[in-house]
Amino acid sequence: MSDTSKDIVIYGVIGSPFVRAIQIGLAEKGVEYRLHAMGPGDTKSPEYLARHPFGRVPAFQHGDFALYETQAILRYLDEVFPQPPLVPADPRAAARMNQIIGINDWYLFPKAAAPIVFQRLIGPVLLGTTTDETAVAAAVPMAKTCVTELDRLLGAQRFLAGETLSIADIILAPQLDFFAATPEGRKALEGTSLKAWLARMNARPSMIATQRPEALRGAA
Ligand SMILES: N[C@@H](CCC(=O)N[C@@H](CS)C(=O)NCC(=O)O)C(=O)O
């Protein structure tokens, strides 16, 4: 393969936890990239839809290879830039990593974090909308289930899939960090081991270097 790290482009809206996960993965590997920053409306432009027919971020390009879906991008990067490895060698730990990514993609993001973060932060801060308390309340039970289960899976381990950083941590940390900026997120994390895990993740240079925009950082 002749493509180098210089040929990597991330297309994304800055602040998106999925976009941030790719930035964190690349930072953990010490790989350079270019960020093609988009506005929220740009995801449905004909030009972008040609790149990502579902109109979501991130999209990714490495030389002549185009890809979308965050976990697929991170797995590709782990193969192409193997150090440090971000998929556990142990089959059970790797299965745990995959399970946790599934929890994020099917339950935490769409049914809990996205509705609550939108109602508490993105809508009021960026769009001037008022919080729909019914929508927030409807998402709280799923948020609790997700946090309880992720906390159980973390247990006494240092990272979500064992003792080393994996793609599960890289996808979940920006997601839970955004969620923790809402009152519901703070409450859900209170008293869990996930809270300490998130603090450890937030102290990593890869997380510090990829903060959300200031306006979306403050607690709602
Ligand atoms: N399954 C996708 C999810 C990406 C996603 O939902 N991104 C959100 C931002 S966090 C998005 O693009 N939202 C814009 C929209 O829905 O129009 C992935 O893993 O990349």
Side-chain angles (χ1 to χ4, degrees), residues 2-111:
S2 59
D3 298 327
T4 69
S5 63
K6 295 235 187 301
D7 303 313
I8 291 180
V9 186
I10 304 172
Y11 296 81
V13 179
I14 295 168
S16 153
F18 288 101
V19 173
R20 192 178 177 198
I22 306 298
Q23 294 179 276
I24 294 165
L26 286 163
E28 290 288 343
K29 286 185 179 283
V31 170
E32 288 176 39
Y33 62 92
R34 186 163 67 78
L35 180 67
H36 181 100
M38 297 160 54
D42 300 341
T43 56
K44 303 298 182 281
S45 72
E47 189 193 2
Y48 187 71
L49 287 172
R51 183 171 285 291
H52 193 320
F54 300 97
R56 293 191 167 233
V57 290
F60 169 90
Q61 187 85 34
H62 185 201
D64 60 5
F65 181 60
L67 191 63
Y68 60 82
E69 287 305 301
T70 300
Q71 61 159 305
I73 298 165
L74 286 168
R75 288 172 197 277
Y76 169 77
L77 289 171
D78 196 49
E79 297 272 347
V80 174
F81 304 101
Q83 294 306 324
L86 294 174
V87 174
D90 173 60
R92 293 185 179 188
R96 209 54 95 192
M97 178 194 87
N98 293 335
Q99 180 185 25
I100 289 166
I101 295 169
I103 290 171
N104 180 70
D105 288 359
W106 278 87
Y107 314 118
L108 177 66
F109 173 70
K111 298 197 169 101

Side-chain angles (χ1 to χ4, degrees), residues 1 6 24 49 113 123 139 143 153 169 177-179 201 204 215:
M1 183 179 307
K6 295 235 187 301
I24 294 165
L49 287 172
L153 291 170
D169 302 286
D177 184 49
F178 215 168
F179 182 47
M201 288 300 296
R204 296 180 80 85

